């Protein structure tokens, strides 16, 4: 995603890439931007308006509170169960140092969160459902990779068509997290590993797979490598308030050629907003719900979108 | 829409109806809210936090600048070609009097404007198209009613399915305002009026019908009256950036049981935002692009939408 952001930056006349900072230092190669070791980042305090953190959530837990002491940041923390704790921790460090820190940015959380809030504001007595996929879930893929005997793996989350139609028709009864999505796994085994027992182990992994309609396919590591190159992803937020005289059905569908590239565009757009908030003295941890929409775009003329 | 707002207000614990003000005075009947003549409204300055103006745009041209001297307002001005002038006029009157005035609120302009801006922010090199209908266009209906010989009429704006699919597939070539929508009219004639010449007159009305695929059906006034009872409306905002490695397709579909009832919900939600802005000293004319999303909902807990 860092590379994607550097690529996208070149197309925005109002934004500029000050550099890429990596824990692997200059070993990371990124066309069109200078790469520095992360350890040197504090020397760049004067030339970075906003820092995009494109790390995993487990890294962000420590890095966002730390780096938001020194920089205005945009990051994509996505561990829903730990959001409040993370918010407070980033809020403390950024406020104390007069920095602005936008957390949980991306397409979900982020764009989809915004759509969910809008749906809930305008359709307040309706119900709002989110579907992810068909697309690769990094979290589920790495859970499979951690199973003993697995060499490599990739998981696709697939919305159940019947569930999507049920929401659109307002038949919410019986919908639960287990029947809204299917899980399709492709697994490359280590030599000598037992297919049957590994398939059982995957299907019974609590939280991630147990209770879901999970399909486990065994294949070569080359096939998985090939699949990893396809970064497309999709999702939908659907709000319905059926059988009401003032009810509405709102459907938002997103279909990305490349998950990291589109997510990078969202982070860059939010970086504009962070810069504006910081300049106006609005410090601390923020979410997309704190952002005036007009801050997201290039230029000042918003009336044309009316 | 005023009645719809009064009905909806009863369901919100954080909002209350101070009264309904009508140019027809107490002749207007509205279940569950007191009705007063509009001429008395200035006596209510101390008990109205936000005033919803549910008039036509031609009335809002005068009433919004006038009433925003005395009240914080939310209104739905929708004459696109006059937006800038209207904005400036409301901005002057409201700022001078330390009032906050949200203009151009509703589903379009309003909700759809917000989706267009979000699409343009996150898919900045894509193209964004709006489709309206199938649903009744009040503007087109009244243009037909003004034709000599017409007793009553109703017009349905219908998106062209081929155009919708072309946008989704990224085939923008050849799309123009004339082939994106069809227009279906139902007309009740005055006695002795000539069908053929009236159909021709309608189809050749500049701006509204000329160049469009327009269908004119003649029917009874009872049939038109019956059709007027159905307030359902639909629309779509579709943004696409095809053939790009970082491209995305975003589709937003709205399907309302009742256009005035759903629009009223949007105005009420924006009234919350206006109240917050006013309290913080943020005066003048505003649009939905000035609204932090968190101001739209009941309650303070927005993290749950992440």
């Amino acid at each position: 995603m860092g590379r994607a952001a550097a690529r996208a930056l070149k197309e925005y006349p109002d934004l500029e890439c000050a550099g890429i900072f990596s824990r692997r230092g200059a070993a990371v190669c990124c066309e069109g931007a200078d790469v520095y070791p992360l350890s040197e980042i504090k020397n760049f305090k004067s030339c970075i308006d906003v820092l995009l953190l494109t790390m995993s959530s487990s890294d962000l837990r420590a890095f966002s509170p730390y780096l938001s002491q020194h920089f205005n940041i945009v990051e994509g923390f996505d561990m829903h169960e730990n959001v409040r704790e993370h918010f407070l921790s980033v809020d403390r460090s950024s406020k104390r140092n007069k920095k602005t820190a936008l957390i949980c940015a991306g397409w979900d959380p982020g764009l989809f969160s915004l759509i969910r809030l809008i749906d809930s504001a305008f359709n307040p007595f309706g119900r709002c459902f989110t579907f992810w996929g068909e697309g690769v879930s990094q979290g589920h893929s790495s859970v499979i990779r951690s199973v003993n005997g697995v060499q490599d793996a990739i998981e696709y989350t697939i919305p159940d068509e019947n569930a999507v139609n049920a929401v659109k028709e307002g038949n919410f009864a019986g919908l639960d997290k287990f029947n809204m999505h299917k899980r399709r796994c492709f697994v490359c085994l280590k030599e000598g590993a037992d297919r049957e027992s590994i398939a059982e182990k995957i299907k019974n992994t609590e939280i991630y797979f147990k209770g879901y309609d999970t399909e486990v396919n065994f294949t070569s590591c080359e096939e998985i490598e090939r699949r990893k190159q396809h970064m497309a992803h999709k999702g939908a937020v659907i709000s319905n308030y059926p059988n009401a005289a003032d009810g509405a059905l709102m459907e938002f569908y997103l279909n990305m050629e490349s998950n990291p590239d589109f997510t990078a565009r969202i982070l860059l757009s939010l970086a504009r907003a962070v810069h504006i908030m910081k300049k106006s003295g609005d410090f601390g941890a923020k979410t997309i719900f704190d952002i005036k929409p007009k801050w997201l775009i290039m230029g000042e003329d918003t009336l044309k979108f009316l």
Side-chain angles (χ1 to χ4, degrees), chain A:
Chain A
M1 195 157 70
R3 283 168 217 261
R7 275 196 299 274
L9 266 166
K10 287 191 255 172
E11 297 174 21
Y12 293 112
D14 62 332
L15 303 175
E16 199 182 6
C17 182
I20 295 187
F21 297 84
S22 165
R23 282 168 286 180
R24 283 173 288 157
V28 173
C29 168
C30 189
E31 182 202 344
D34 291 326
V35 181
Y36 308 94
L38 182 58
S39 55
E40 290 177 16
I41 198 167
K42 283 207 235 163
N43 304 331
F44 290 79
K45 280 175 84 162
S46 65
C47 63
I48 295 172
D49 289 319
V50 183
L51 188 65
L52 305 190
L53 302 188
T54 57
M55 300 156 162
S56 71
S57 286
S58 47
D59 286 341
L60 291 171
R61 275 181 108 149
F63 276 104
S64 293
Y66 171 66
L67 287 167
S68 62
Q69 295 176 63
H70 306 289
F71 298 94
N72 306 299
I73 66 165
V74 174
E75 56 100 290
F77 189 79
D78 67 355
M79 293 163 77
H80 281 261
E81 59 284 18
N82 302 109
V83 159
R84 279 162 216 277
E85 175 200 340
H86 186 67
F87 183 93
L88 291 173
S89 143
V90 175
D91 196 47
R92 256 193 311 271
S93 64
S94 53
K95 247 186 204 142
R96 194 179 293 154
N97 295 281
K98 300 199 170 175
K99 301 295 177 203
T100 305
L102 189 93
I103 65 165
C104 304
W107 66 274
D108 196 358
L111 171 56
F112 273 25
S113 316
L114 182 56
I115 300 294
R116 283 190 288 267
L117 183 137
I118 291 169
D119 283 0
S120 302
F122 298 158
N123 219 7
F125 304 106
R127 282 186 66 189
C128 187
F129 296 84
T130 305
F131 294 94
W132 300 276
E134 176 171 345
V136 173
S137 162
Q138 297 299 346
H140 288 79
S141 301
S142 65
V143 161
I144 306 176
R145 274 181 225 122
S146 71
V147 171
N148 237 329
V150 170
Q151 179 73 36
D152 202 0
I154 192 163
E155 189 264 7
Y156 297 86
T157 300
I158 305 166
D160 183 275
E161 237 177 80
N162 295 327
V164 174
N165 288 331
V167 170
K168 286 162 70 169
E169 287 158 13
N171 301 320
F172 305 146
L175 285 177
D176 63 39
K177 63 176 177 176
F178 296 118
N179 60 25
M180 286 174 60
H181 294 89
K182 297 174 183 186
R183 309 208 166 275
R184 183 173 294 152
C185 316
F186 292 86
V187 181
C188 165
L189 294 179
K190 285 182 180 154
E191 223 172 288
D194 178 56
R195 289 187 169 207
E196 203 133 321
S197 68
I198 284 177
E200 277 313 295
K201 192 143 188 197
I202 292 168
K203 290 184 183 179
N204 285 302
T205 311
E206 294 286 349
I207 299 168
Y208 287 87
F209 294 103
K210 199 171 177 179
Y212 289 92
D213 178 354
T214 302
E215 177 189 307
V216 179
N217 305 283
F218 294 98
T219 184
S220 66
C221 285
E222 292 70 37
E223 163 75 5
I224 289 170
E225 203 48 52
R226 194 185 59 72
R227 287 182 173 273
K228 283 184 187 167
Q229 307 312 311
H230 292 87
M231 309 280 212
H233 213 315
K234 295 164 101 173
V237 178
I238 308 177
S239 161
N240 203 352
Y241 183 31
N243 313 319
D246 60 344
L249 169 66
M250 282 183 271
E251 301 163 76
F252 184 80
Y253 300 98
L254 171 64
N255 192 338
M256 294 164 273
E257 273 303 311
S258 158
N259 185 351
D261 284 277
F262 186 71
T263 304
R265 292 238 183 247
I266 295 180
L267 298 193
L268 290 173
S269 200
L270 290 165
R272 288 192 186 100
V274 165
H275 184 56
I276 292 170
M277 294 172 98
K278 150 78 180 178
K279 279 198 297 182
S280 75
D282 195 356
F283 307 126
K286 307 288 174 191
T287 69
I288 197 162
F289 310 131
D290 295 296
I291 305 295
K292 292 188 181 178
K294 67 177 179 184
W295 294 340
L296 296 173
I297 56 155
M298 279 185 277
E300 304 257 297
D301 179 21
T302 56
L303 294 184
K304 69 183 174 193
F305 295 107
L306 284 178

